[in-house]
Amino acid sequence: MTANSLSRTLERPGVFKYLLIAPAVFVILLIGLYPLIKLAVTSFQDISMFGADYSFNGAKHYVRLFGDSRLWESLLHTVLFTAVALPIELVLGYLLALLFLERLPGKSFFVAIILLPTIISPIVAGSTWRLMFDQRFGPVNQILSWISGREVELLWNIQTYLVWPAIMIAEVWQWTPFMFLMLYAALSNVDKEQLEAAQIDGASWWMTFRRIVLPAIMPVMVIAMLIRALDLFRIFDIIWTMTQGGPGTMTETISIYAYNIAFREFETSYSAAIAFLVIFILTLVVVWLLRRIEVER
């Protein structure tokens, strides 16, 4: 290509801007696509602690998924945990956002305090809550002992009926501030004149929320729920530091199960198939939600 032809090419509308972003797009595709392609290739091989067969072995690992009861049990744990934790975080975040919409002394200071858990590493948060729930020296049992007037030694990290509530408390404590921040920003932009007009017309709280507030905050709320749902579905850190999936496999999520298969049992190809299953499920959920958002618009 001569200098003149290159100059004419660059002068075409839209060509130059694509050339500017081409290096960034290439890097993003390299970083994002290569691991995905490598994962797909590995899932069709047979790599484990017993050897590495890099030849094509068909879809035997994907067939194995359907008969793996422990896999579907961990997937059920993940879905149920997401289905319970997400509404709790949404409701608490909304209530906090409503509270801080009012004029409060020192509001900026308290908002900063509320947001502190979100900047803590989940590993640190899980380790902290594990210590707080310790049956002998944890402050949670001590507070319950003061309230009940007798010695309380609940095994929060061991007893089957207490481990999930303990994990739920830790997760909600850390990530409710995120929902609060998103909903607080959305509620701050609701048209005040519409709210005042509804109040003058005698509209009830529920009617005002349904007809004015909810449509105004819906786009932000859906995006916040989508972000948190994806985080909850791949939850690992807090559960691992608190219970490591125990007792037994009671708190084992799909991420913890994939970790155990990959790094404890060293079944690399099977863990790649599990990872691809998770990617497939999350892709379906994201596409469905994004289509719903477009339809509502």
Side-chain angles (χ1 to χ4, degrees):
M1 179 180 290
T2 64
N4 290 334
S5 61
L6 178 60
S7 177
R8 286 194 299 269
T9 302
L10 294 177
E11 289 175 357
R12 293 177 183 175
V15 173
F16 185 64
K17 64 180 181 181
Y18 290 122
L19 289 176
L20 288 177
I21 65 173
V25 172
F26 173 75
V27 172
I28 292 174
L29 290 177
L30 181 64
I31 295 174
L33 286 181
Y34 175 74
L36 193 62
I37 295 173
K38 178 64 175 176
L39 190 70
V41 172
T42 303
S43 68
F44 289 103
Q45 296 171 340
D46 195 6
I47 304 173
S48 67
M49 65 183 299
F50 301 107
D53 182 3
Y54 297 103
S55 61
F56 180 75
N57 281 278
K60 69 173 187 178
H61 296 298
Y62 291 96
V63 173
R64 178 182 169 186
L65 292 175
F66 294 99
D68 191 344
S69 59
R70 184 175 168 187
L71 167 70
W72 298 108
E73 181 185 5
S74 64
L75 186 61
L76 178 62
H77 293 163
T78 307
V79 172
L80 291 177
F81 184 76
T82 302
V84 174
L86 185 59
I88 293 175
E89 293 176 8
L90 178 65
V91 171
L92 292 180
Y94 180 76
L95 294 177
L96 280 173
L98 283 180
L99 175 64
F100 280 89
L101 280 177
E102 306 295 333
R103 294 181 178 272
L104 297 173
K107 182 167 70 172
S108 299
F109 172 77
F110 288 110
V111 169
I113 293 297
I114 289 175
L115 294 178
L116 281 179
T118 60
I119 66 175
I120 299 175
S121 168
I123 290 289
V124 175
S127 300
T128 302
W129 278 101
R130 180 178 177 84
L131 292 174
M132 292 182 67
F133 283 122
D134 185 79
Q135 62 269 22
R136 294 186 61 190
F137 307 108
V140 174
N141 279 346
Q142 292 182 6
I143 293 172
L144 293 176
S145 298
W146 296 336
I147 294 174
S148 62
R150 58 184 180 82
E151 190 69 21
V152 174
E153 291 188 1
L154 296 176
L155 306 177
W156 291 91
N157 299 312
I158 299 175
Q159 287 181 316
T160 56
Y161 64 93
L162 291 175
V163 285
W164 276 120
I167 294 170
M168 189 73 65
I169 291 171
E171 178 68 19
V172 169
W173 170 83
Q174 183 167 29
W175 292 111
T176 294
F178 170 80
M179 300 295 289
F180 154 71
L181 184 63
M182 298 288 285
L183 295 176
Y184 178 68
L187 287 171
S188 299
N189 292 321
V190 176
D191 192 347
K192 302 297 188 299
E193 294 181 357
Q194 292 186 8
L195 295 176
E196 292 173 357
Q199 186 176 9
I200 293 173
D201 292 339
S204 63
W205 174 87
W206 172 247
M207 187 62 66
T208 302
F209 172 77
R210 182 181 176 185
R211 298 293 185 181
I212 300 176
V213 177
L214 188 58
I217 69 173
M218 181 61 73
V220 176
M221 186 172 69
V222 170
I223 295 300
M225 292 177 64
L226 178 60
I227 294 173
R228 284 302 306 134
L230 294 177
D231 280 343
L232 286 166
F233 196 86
R234 59 184 180 84
I235 186 171
F236 176 86
D237 312 71
I238 284 184
I239 297 180
W240 184 258
T241 51
M242 292 183 69
T243 66
Q244 293 191 4
T249 59
M250 185 174 180
T251 59
E252 189 175 64
T253 60
I254 189 68
S255 296
I256 293 177
Y257 179 60
Y259 174 85
N260 287 329
I261 291 294
F263 299 105
R264 287 191 166 182
E265 300 181 18
F266 300 104
E267 296 190 47
T268 305
S269 293
Y270 185 53
S271 66
I274 296 173
F276 232 84
L277 173 66
V278 174
I279 292 172
F280 176 73
I281 293 173
L282 292 181
T283 300
L284 289 180
V285 172
V286 170
V287 170
W288 178 76
L289 285 176
L290 291 179
R291 286 183 176 177
R292 288 294 301 271
I293 294 173
E294 292 296 329
V295 170
E296 290 177 358
R297 287 183 178 179

